[in-house]
Amino acid sequence: MVAFASFAARLFVFVSPTDATVSEAEFASTVVAAKQADDSHIKYMPTTCNGHGVVVLQSGTIYHSRVGHSFPKRCKRLHGNGSAVLVNTSQGSLSFLSAHIVLSGSLRFVGAQQRCMVTRGDVQISGDANVLFEKCNGGGMHAGGQVAISGRARVLFLECHSNSSGGGFFAQSSNVYGKATVVFDRCTTQADGGGFAVQRGSFVSGKARVHFNGCECYSRGGGFFAELRSVTFGFAEVSFQSCKSKMGWGGGVFVGKVSLVPGGGIAWIAGNASVSFKNCTSRLHGGGIATRQSVVVTGRSSVTFFGCRSFNASGGGFATLHSIAWGNSSISFAHCHSGQGGGGFVANTSLISRWSSLEFERCKSEGSGGGIQVRNSIISGHATLRFINCSAKWRGGSFYTFGSQAVNESAVLEIVNSSSGELGGGLFVGNCSFSNTVTLMFEGCRSSEGHGIYSRNRIIIGDSVNCSFPKQTKLFVAEQNIRIGILPEVHKFDNLLAKSNRGVVEFQLDESSIFLKSPRRCPPGTSPKATINLDNEVVWGLDYQKVCIECPPGTISLHSIVVPRNGTFPGCRPCARLGDKAGHAVITCENNVAVAPSGVMLRLSNSSTPEVFRCANINTCVGARSLGTYLDGSSVIQDPPMCESGYIPRSKGCTSCAMPRYGRSATDPFVCNRCSAKEFAWTGPVVFLLKPMALLVYGMTTSHSSRKQGEARLAGTLLKMTLSYSTITLLVVDAVSSSPKFHEQSAYWAETGAAIMKSYDIVSTASKAPMYVSSLDCLAGHTLTTTENLVFVLSVPGIGLIVIVLWCLAEMMFASDDSFLDKFLRYFVVWQNQFYPGIVAAFAAFLPCVSLQDDLWLEAFMLERECQNGFPSLPSLLCSAVGVASCFLTGPVLWYWLLASKDFSYRDRWVFLTDSYDDDYAYWESLVLARKMALAFLAAKIPVSYAPERFLAWTLAVVVIALYFQIKVHPYREERFPVLFFQYDINRLERDLIFSGTMCLIIGGGILSRWWNEPLLYFYLGLLLLMCALVPACLVLSKKLIESYSSIFHQKIQSFYEPQDSAEQTPLSGSIELGVG
């Protein structure tokens, strides 16, 4: 108090017009002399003002007001020269009728039974004004508008008292800014606002300073009271010392009405403002601050509470509905005390974020929450919350949250030497979670139960939480589940102590933790004997000093420990449930080794059990493969490897090829072929590029519009039928060869053959790399994505278009029978017929999604990308749909429209497509192209190794439709072909070949169908039937092809020696049907 009085004396030095100073002692003696003097020695206040509306008071003069003294409206300024003193000895107040009054110069208002000054409007004190209100018994000032104090003005309210609101002054609002200084010293009121009271809001900004010392109120706001809001920002400084609310709320500040007003009841502290509360007290809530809505601290502002107390209620520092700390703000509580909850503060919700800092030291609560009591709390964004030596009589020595608490985003929570009488020495919460690189520290906390945290429901501590619990015991207690993630520091103490009364406690341990390497810990394949039970003899956490027991048969524990509520073997999991997500596969375990059945693969995971996947290609996972760990934890058992040779052992479901030695097949993403040897690496690019270019050039040379005759027409048609038939049969052979039985029998016969060759000293070359393999991955040197695969596939047709353009230009230079456009369109049709099936397959590769687990779908040709509920992603779906639709519209659909129209010009231009067909079916080649594209689409959309039965079923549907139309239509013009044999015409041959292909598909489906424990005789019988369907057709086609081309060869030799007018051309047209395989 003495220090504060000396500060006020130094602050309020009044300057006379001659710059002579008057000390506080001289001023006091002047006031006493005025009170003792006769009326003849006292000058009355002027009754009017000069022409400028200014009431001028003389220096060194003592004035007093008459009863009910009032200045007219035209008087707008009261100016004191030097040290003018207004002593109100009567019962009247100095009153102004003007809407705006300015106080300037040096003025002192002393003593009144009512307020010293009353005005209807605003009061402005600015410039270098010095104004003192001393011992105004009715209050210092009453303003009907705003009180604005700015500039370098200095205003002191000294020992003013009022029976109504506002001991220092009452106004509609107040605004202190600039470098103004306002001091309220020992002002009191019997209502609200010991220093001042405003109906709307109080604003302090700039570098202004406002100080409250020893102010008191009976009801609300010992320092000041504001009904709407209080805002402090800029570099303002506000301090409250020893302020008091005798019977109400807010020892320093109260903001808000009795009833809640939208947007009202907010105390806002922002910018670089500094607010301090020292030894402020209240009978009810909020020893320092009490608000109806919110306390918001943001920017780089600083708020301190020291020795504040609420005697009979909550919130020793402050009490509010919402508490928000934001930005780089700092709030500290020291030696705060509450009679109920929240020794530091109490709120409904609390948000602490964005590098803000809250610190509580030696705070105490007679109820719950020695530092904080809230309903819900969020701590995030690098915020720091620190409690030191806090205590609560009931629950939550530092923090009490009866709702939920979330701590995340690199926040720091430190609790040191905290205690509570009942539950939760550090925290008592409803639910709490810690995640996202949070730093969590408990040290020296104690309580009857849950020294660190007690939760009414759950406690979740994530994997990325940095924890420090030195010398801490019985740390976590929850009514429900507790989950503690990977804690790198877990090896620093023997007991990670947690207990769940009705739920489960889970611990997850890092593989690199010393915990796993310590001889005191239970190694893989064993389980701690201690468990967490519900009986009175509670075993806290894991007592690793006790004997570890081995996992019983049928269970497994690889390298992590899961502690359930009850049970004899908490670290071991039953193997019978491991395959639930992989089609309920049956996994067996023995000696801590899991054995995978056929079609299933296992791999190590971060949990105590392995991951289980279905294999996309059942032949890559033949079963009886083991995965586990030795009982001493020295190494991992995986013998033989989970996947067949050529596949990456740890890939999900053995789906990735072991590049660079193995690459995916061109037709199946789950079949890995051996790449070419290094000495034959050149064969890949050569075959990939030259083969289609040679076929394209040959097709262009045979696509001229002259009509073919006799054996030439027959040879071309037979060759086209052969390639079409081989397309269907190769699809069947690929599907059958992907069956498990075929794979098993081929391996058996390969071993048998190798044994026979070895007995005769014959060197086998089966294991050597081939000269050429059809794999784009081998060609590229890495596993292609679907987009890269599409680019590779489209590159060859792109080069083909360049070849067509160059070919047309060359023909125009040497032979100009047709126009450039006619030549280009003719060759473009040949180009479409050759490349469109492959392009459709490349676009269809975006579509297939395969399931390796019940909740895991992957794109077949790009396993890094997941499918949503079995459907490809939207970009993949759009790309495939646009590409496939464009090929069908510009290919078969356009051909059909042009060739089926009444305009015969395109038939004449493309006679190589229509020459073999009846005039009514000149469009038939468009249907053949549609069939080829459909088969290519199915081969890419349905991987044969993943779903061979479905692939054969859809292929059969396409072939059956083709067979139906062949039987119904008979498209070939038979009189243009010579008789084959025994009146066997060309239409019947096409029909029988398609029928043979249909039978192959049906027999292949029968071979692939599953029959439990079926004898091998039926498998070989199915293969025999398949050969019976294939061999006769192949022999007939081969015989007729040899005869036709022999006849053509003899005709060519004869025509060489005997020239003819028109030479027949060999009819290998662009409509040759290329195999999908």
Side-chain angles (χ1 to χ4, degrees), residues 157-213:
F157 294 87
L158 180 61
E159 296 183 8
C160 294
H161 173 76
S162 175
N163 292 326
S164 59
S165 296
F169 70 82
F170 176 86
Q172 292 297 313
S173 63
S174 66
N175 191 358
V176 183
Y177 56 99
K179 295 184 178 181
T181 301
V182 183
V183 177
F184 298 86
D185 186 10
R186 290 164 289 170
C187 294
T188 61
T189 179
Q190 294 298 316
D192 302 323
F196 69 85
V198 292
Q199 287 187 339
R200 292 196 294 271
S202 169
F203 299 87
V204 182
S205 61
K207 295 185 178 181
R209 294 185 295 173
V210 181
H211 304 280
F212 298 85
N213 176 56

Coordinates of all heavy atoms in Angstrom, one line a residue, residues 157-213:
F157 N -8.7 8.5 -9.2 CA -9.9 8.5 -8.3 C -9.4 7.9 -7.0 O -9.0 6.8 -6.9 CB -11.0 7.5 -8.9 CG -11.6 8.0 -10.2 CD1 -10.9 7.7 -11.5 CD2 -12.7 8.8 -10.3 CE1 -11.5 8.2 -12.6 CE2 -13.2 9.3 -11.4 CZ -12.6 8.9 -12.6
L158 N -9.5 8.8 -6.0 CA -8.9 8.5 -4.7 C -10.0 8.4 -3.6 O -10.7 9.4 -3.4 CB -7.9 9.5 -4.3 CG -7.1 9.4 -3.0 CD1 -6.4 8.1 -2.9 CD2 -6.2 10.6 -2.7
E159 N -10.2 7.2 -3.0 CA -11.1 7.0 -1.9 C -12.5 7.5 -2.2 O -13.2 8.1 -1.4 CB -10.6 7.6 -0.6 CG -9.3 7.0 -0.2 CD -8.8 7.6 1.1 OE1 -9.5 8.4 1.7 OE2 -7.7 7.3 1.5
C160 N -13.0 7.3 -3.5 CA -14.3 7.6 -3.8 C -15.3 6.5 -3.4 O -14.9 5.3 -3.5 CB -14.4 7.9 -5.3 SG -13.5 9.4 -5.8
H161 N -16.5 6.9 -3.1 CA -17.5 5.9 -2.7 C -18.8 6.2 -3.2 O -19.2 7.4 -3.4 CB -17.5 5.8 -1.1 CG -18.6 5.0 -0.6 ND1 -18.5 3.6 -0.6 CD2 -19.8 5.2 -0.1 CE1 -19.6 3.1 -0.1 NE2 -20.4 4.1 0.2
S162 N -19.6 5.1 -3.5 CA -20.9 5.4 -4.1 C -21.8 4.2 -3.5 O -21.4 3.1 -3.4 CB -20.9 5.4 -5.6 OG -22.2 5.5 -6.1
N163 N -23.1 4.6 -3.3 CA -24.1 3.6 -2.9 C -24.7 2.9 -4.2 O -25.4 1.9 -4.0 CB -25.2 4.2 -2.1 CG -24.7 4.7 -0.8 OD1 -23.8 4.1 -0.2 ND2 -25.3 5.8 -0.3
S164 N -24.5 3.4 -5.3 CA -24.9 2.8 -6.6 C -23.7 2.4 -7.4 O -22.6 2.5 -6.9 CB -25.8 3.8 -7.4 OG -25.0 4.9 -7.7
S165 N -23.9 1.9 -8.6 CA -22.8 1.3 -9.4 C -21.8 2.3 -9.7 O -22.1 3.5 -10.1 CB -23.4 0.6 -10.6 OG -24.2 -0.4 -10.3
G166 N -20.5 1.9 -9.6 CA -19.4 2.8 -10.0 C -18.9 3.7 -8.9 O -19.3 4.8 -8.8
G167 N -18.0 3.2 -8.1 CA -17.4 4.0 -7.1 C -16.6 5.2 -7.6 O -16.6 6.3 -7.1
G168 N -15.8 4.9 -8.6 CA -15.0 6.0 -9.3 C -15.9 6.8 -10.2 O -16.1 8.0 -10.1
F169 N -16.5 6.1 -11.2 CA -17.4 6.8 -12.1 C -18.4 5.7 -12.7 O -18.1 4.5 -12.7 CB -16.7 7.5 -13.2 CG -16.0 6.7 -14.3 CD1 -16.7 6.1 -15.3 CD2 -14.6 6.4 -14.2 CE1 -16.1 5.3 -16.3 CE2 -14.0 5.7 -15.1 CZ -14.7 5.1 -16.2
F170 N -19.5 6.2 -13.2 CA -20.4 5.4 -13.9 C -20.7 6.1 -15.3 O -20.9 7.3 -15.4 CB -21.8 5.3 -13.1 CG -22.8 4.6 -13.9 CD1 -22.9 3.2 -13.8 CD2 -23.7 5.2 -14.7 CE1 -23.9 2.5 -14.5 CE2 -24.7 4.5 -15.4 CZ -24.8 3.1 -15.3
A171 N -20.7 5.2 -16.3 CA -21.0 5.8 -17.7 C -21.6 4.6 -18.5 O -21.7 3.5 -18.1 CB -19.7 6.2 -18.3
Q172 N -22.0 5.1 -19.7 CA -22.5 4.1 -20.7 C -21.4 3.2 -21.2 O -21.5 2.0 -21.3 CB -23.2 4.8 -21.9 CG -24.5 5.5 -21.5 CD -25.5 4.5 -21.0 OE1 -25.8 3.4 -21.6 NE2 -26.2 4.8 -19.9
S173 N -20.2 3.8 -21.4 CA -19.0 3.0 -21.9 C -17.8 3.8 -21.5 O -17.9 5.0 -21.2 CB -19.1 2.7 -23.4 OG -19.0 3.9 -24.1
S174 N -16.6 3.2 -21.5 CA -15.4 3.9 -21.3 C -14.4 3.5 -22.3 O -14.4 2.3 -22.8 CB -14.9 3.5 -19.8 OG -14.5 2.2 -19.8
N175 N -13.5 4.4 -22.6 CA -12.4 4.1 -23.6 C -11.2 4.9 -23.1 O -11.1 6.1 -23.0 CB -12.9 4.6 -24.9 CG -11.9 4.1 -26.0 OD1 -10.9 3.5 -25.7 ND2 -12.2 4.5 -27.3
V176 N -10.1 4.1 -22.8 CA -8.8 4.7 -22.4 C -7.8 4.3 -23.4 O -7.6 3.1 -23.6 CB -8.4 4.2 -21.0 CG1 -7.1 4.8 -20.5 CG2 -9.5 4.4 -19.9
Y177 N -7.2 5.2 -24.0 CA -6.2 4.9 -25.1 C -5.1 6.0 -25.1 O -5.0 6.9 -24.3 CB -7.0 4.8 -26.4 CG -7.7 6.1 -26.8 CD1 -7.2 7.0 -27.7 CD2 -9.0 6.3 -26.3 CE1 -7.9 8.1 -28.1 CE2 -9.8 7.4 -26.7 CZ -9.2 8.3 -27.6 OH -9.9 9.4 -28.0
G178 N -4.3 5.8 -26.1 CA -3.1 6.7 -26.2 C -2.1 6.3 -25.1 O -1.8 5.1 -24.9
K179 N -1.6 7.3 -24.4 CA -0.6 7.1 -23.3 C -1.3 7.5 -22.0 O -0.5 7.9 -21.1 CB 0.7 7.8 -23.6 CG 1.5 7.2 -24.8 CD 2.8 7.9 -24.9 CE 3.6 7.3 -26.1 NZ 4.9 7.9 -26.2
A180 N -2.6 7.5 -22.0 CA -3.3 8.0 -20.8 C -3.0 7.0 -19.6 O -2.8 5.8 -19.8 CB -4.8 8.1 -21.0
T181 N -3.2 7.5 -18.4 CA -3.0 6.8 -17.2 C -4.2 7.0 -16.3 O -4.6 8.2 -16.0 CB -1.7 7.1 -16.4 OG1 -0.6 6.9 -17.3 CG2 -1.6 6.3 -15.2
V182 N -4.9 6.0 -15.8 CA -6.0 6.1 -14.9 C -5.8 5.2 -13.7 O -5.4 4.0 -13.8 CB -7.3 5.7 -15.6 CG1 -8.5 5.9 -14.7 CG2 -7.5 6.5 -16.9
V183 N -6.0 5.8 -12.5 CA -5.7 5.0 -11.3 C -7.0 5.1 -10.4 O -7.5 6.2 -10.2 CB -4.5 5.6 -10.5 CG1 -4.3 4.8 -9.2 CG2 -3.3 5.4 -11.3
F184 N -7.4 4.0 -9.9 CA -8.5 3.9 -8.9 C -7.9 3.4 -7.6 O -7.5 2.2 -7.5 CB -9.6 3.0 -9.4 CG -10.3 3.4 -10.7 CD1 -9.7 3.1 -11.9 CD2 -11.4 4.2 -10.7 CE1 -10.3 3.5 -13.1 CE2 -12.0 4.6 -11.9 CZ -11.5 4.2 -13.1
D185 N -7.9 4.2 -6.6 CA -7.3 3.9 -5.3 C -8.3 3.9 -4.2 O -8.9 4.9 -3.9 CB -6.2 4.9 -5.0 CG -5.3 4.5 -3.8 OD1 -5.5 3.3 -3.3 OD2 -4.5 5.3 -3.4
R186 N -8.6 2.6 -3.7 CA -9.5 2.4 -2.6 C -10.9 3.0 -2.8 O -11.5 3.6 -2.0 CB -8.9 3.0 -1.3 CG -7.7 2.3 -0.8 CD -6.9 3.1 0.2 NE -6.2 4.2 -0.4 CZ -5.6 5.2 0.2 NH1 -5.6 5.2 1.5 NH2 -4.9 6.1 -0.5
C187 N -11.4 2.8 -4.1 CA -12.7 3.2 -4.4 C -13.7 2.1 -4.0 O -13.3 0.9 -4.3 CB -12.8 3.6 -5.9 SG -11.9 5.1 -6.3
T188 N -14.8 2.4 -3.6 CA -15.8 1.4 -3.1 C -17.2 1.7 -3.6 O -17.5 2.8 -3.9 CB -15.8 1.2 -1.6 OG1 -16.2 2.5 -1.0 CG2 -14.4 0.9 -1.1
T189 N -18.0 0.6 -3.6 CA -19.5 0.8 -3.9 C -20.3 -0.2 -3.2 O -19.8 -1.3 -2.9 CB -19.7 0.7 -5.4 OG1 -21.0 0.9 -5.7 CG2 -19.2 -0.7 -5.9
Q190 N -21.5 0.1 -2.9 CA -22.5 -0.8 -2.3 C -23.2 -1.7 -3.4 O -24.0 -2.5 -3.1 CB -23.5 -0.1 -1.5 CG -22.9 0.6 -0.3 CD -22.2 -0.4 0.7 OE1 -22.8 -1.5 1.0 NE2 -21.0 -0.1 1.2
A191 N -22.8 -1.4 -4.7 CA -23.5 -2.2 -5.8 C -22.4 -2.9 -6.6 O -21.6 -3.6 -6.1 CB -24.3 -1.2 -6.6
D192 N -22.3 -2.5 -7.9 CA -21.4 -3.1 -8.9 C -20.3 -2.2 -9.3 O -20.6 -1.0 -9.5 CB -22.1 -3.6 -10.1 CG -23.2 -4.6 -9.8 OD1 -23.0 -5.4 -8.9 OD2 -24.3 -4.6 -10.5
G193 N -19.1 -2.7 -9.4 CA -18.0 -1.9 -10.0 C -17.4 -0.9 -8.9 O -17.7 0.2 -8.9
G194 N -16.4 -1.4 -8.1 CA -15.8 -0.6 -7.1 C -15.0 0.6 -7.7 O -15.1 1.7 -7.3
G195 N -14.3 0.3 -8.8 CA -13.6 1.4 -9.5 C -14.5 2.2 -10.4 O -14.7 3.4 -10.3
F196 N -15.1 1.4 -11.4 CA -16.1 2.1 -12.3 C -17.1 1.0 -12.8 O -16.8 -0.2 -12.7 CB -15.5 2.9 -13.4 CG -14.8 2.0 -14.4 CD1 -15.5 1.4 -15.5 CD2 -13.4 1.7 -14.4 CE1 -14.9 0.6 -16.4 CE2 -12.8 0.9 -15.3 CZ -13.6 0.4 -16.4
A197 N -18.2 1.5 -13.3 CA -19.2 0.6 -13.9 C -19.7 1.2 -15.2 O -19.9 2.4 -15.3 CB -20.4 0.4 -12.9
V198 N -19.8 0.4 -16.2 CA -20.3 0.8 -17.5 C -21.4 -0.1 -18.0 O -21.4 -1.3 -17.6 CB -19.2 0.9 -18.6 CG1 -18.2 2.0 -18.3 CG2 -18.5 -0.5 -18.7
Q199 N -22.4 0.4 -18.7 CA -23.5 -0.4 -19.1 C -23.2 -1.2 -20.4 O -23.7 -2.2 -20.6 CB -24.7 0.5 -19.4 CG -25.4 1.0 -18.1 CD -26.7 1.7 -18.4 OE1 -26.9 2.2 -19.5 NE2 -27.5 1.8 -17.4
R200 N -22.3 -0.6 -21.3 CA -22.0 -1.3 -22.5 C -20.6 -2.0 -22.4 O -20.5 -3.2 -22.1 CB -22.1 -0.4 -23.7 CG -23.5 0.1 -24.0 CD -23.6 0.7 -25.4 NE -22.8 1.9 -25.5 CZ -23.4 3.1 -25.2 NH1 -24.6 3.2 -24.8 NH2 -22.6 4.2 -25.3
G201 N -19.5 -1.3 -22.7 CA -18.2 -1.9 -22.7 C -17.1 -1.0 -22.2 O -17.3 0.2 -22.2
S202 N -16.0 -1.7 -21.8 CA -14.8 -1.0 -21.4 C -13.7 -1.3 -22.4 O -13.5 -2.5 -22.6 CB -14.5 -1.4 -20.0 OG -13.2 -0.9 -19.6
F203 N -13.0 -0.3 -22.9 CA -11.9 -0.5 -23.8 C -10.7 0.1 -23.3 O -10.7 1.3 -22.9 CB -12.3 0.0 -25.2 CG -13.5 -0.6 -25.8 CD1 -14.8 -0.1 -25.5 CD2 -13.4 -1.7 -26.6 CE1 -15.9 -0.7 -26.1 CE2 -14.5 -2.3 -27.2 CZ -15.8 -1.8 -26.9
V204 N -9.6 -0.6 -23.3 CA -8.3 -0.1 -23.0 C -7.3 -0.5 -24.1 O -7.2 -1.7 -24.4 CB -7.8 -0.6 -21.6 CG1 -6.4 0.0 -21.3 CG2 -8.8 -0.4 -20.5
S205 N -6.6 0.5 -24.7 CA -5.8 0.2 -25.9 C -4.6 1.1 -25.9 O -4.4 2.0 -25.0 CB -6.6 0.3 -27.2 OG -7.1 1.6 -27.3
G206 N -3.8 1.0 -27.0 CA -2.6 1.8 -27.2 C -1.6 1.5 -26.1 O -1.4 0.3 -25.8
K207 N -1.0 2.5 -25.5 CA -0.1 2.3 -24.4 C -0.7 2.8 -23.1 O 0.1 3.2 -22.2 CB 1.2 3.0 -24.7 CG 2.0 2.4 -25.9 CD 3.3 3.1 -26.1 CE 4.1 2.4 -27.2 NZ 5.4 3.1 -27.4
A208 N -2.0 2.8 -23.0 CA -2.7 3.3 -21.8 C -2.4 2.3 -20.6 O -2.1 1.2 -20.8 CB -4.2 3.4 -22.1
R209 N -2.5 2.9 -19.4 CA -2.3 2.2 -18.2 C -3.5 2.5 -17.3 O -3.9 3.6 -17.0 CB -1.0 2.5 -17.5 CG 0.2 2.1 -18.3 CD 1.5 2.4 -17.5 NE 1.7 3.9 -17.3 CZ 2.6 4.4 -16.5 NH1 3.5 3.6 -15.9 NH2 2.7 5.7 -16.4
V210 N -4.1 1.4 -16.8 CA -5.2 1.5 -15.8 C -4.9 0.6 -14.6 O -4.5 -0.6 -14.8 CB -6.5 1.0 -16.4 CG1 -7.7 1.2 -15.4 CG2 -6.8 1.8 -17.7
H211 N -4.9 1.2 -13.4 CA -4.6 0.5 -12.2 C -5.7 0.6 -11.2 O -6.3 1.7 -11.0 CB -3.3 1.1 -11.6 CG -2.1 1.1 -12.6 ND1 -1.4 0.0 -12.9 CD2 -1.6 2.1 -13.3 CE1 -0.5 0.3 -13.7 NE2 -0.6 1.6 -14.1
F212 N -6.0 -0.5 -10.5 CA -7.0 -0.6 -9.5 C -6.2 -1.1 -8.2 O -5.6 -2.2 -8.2 CB -8.1 -1.6 -9.8 CG -8.9 -1.2 -11.1 CD1 -8.4 -1.6 -12.3 CD2 -10.0 -0.5 -11.0 CE1 -9.1 -1.2 -13.5 CE2 -10.8 -0.1 -12.1 CZ -10.3 -0.5 -13.3
N213 N -6.4 -0.3 -7.1 CA -5.7 -0.7 -5.9 C -6.7 -0.6 -4.7 O -7.3 0.4 -4.4 CB -4.6 0.3 -5.6 CG -3.9 0.0 -4.2 OD1 -3.5 -1.1 -4.0 ND2 -3.9 1.0 -3.4

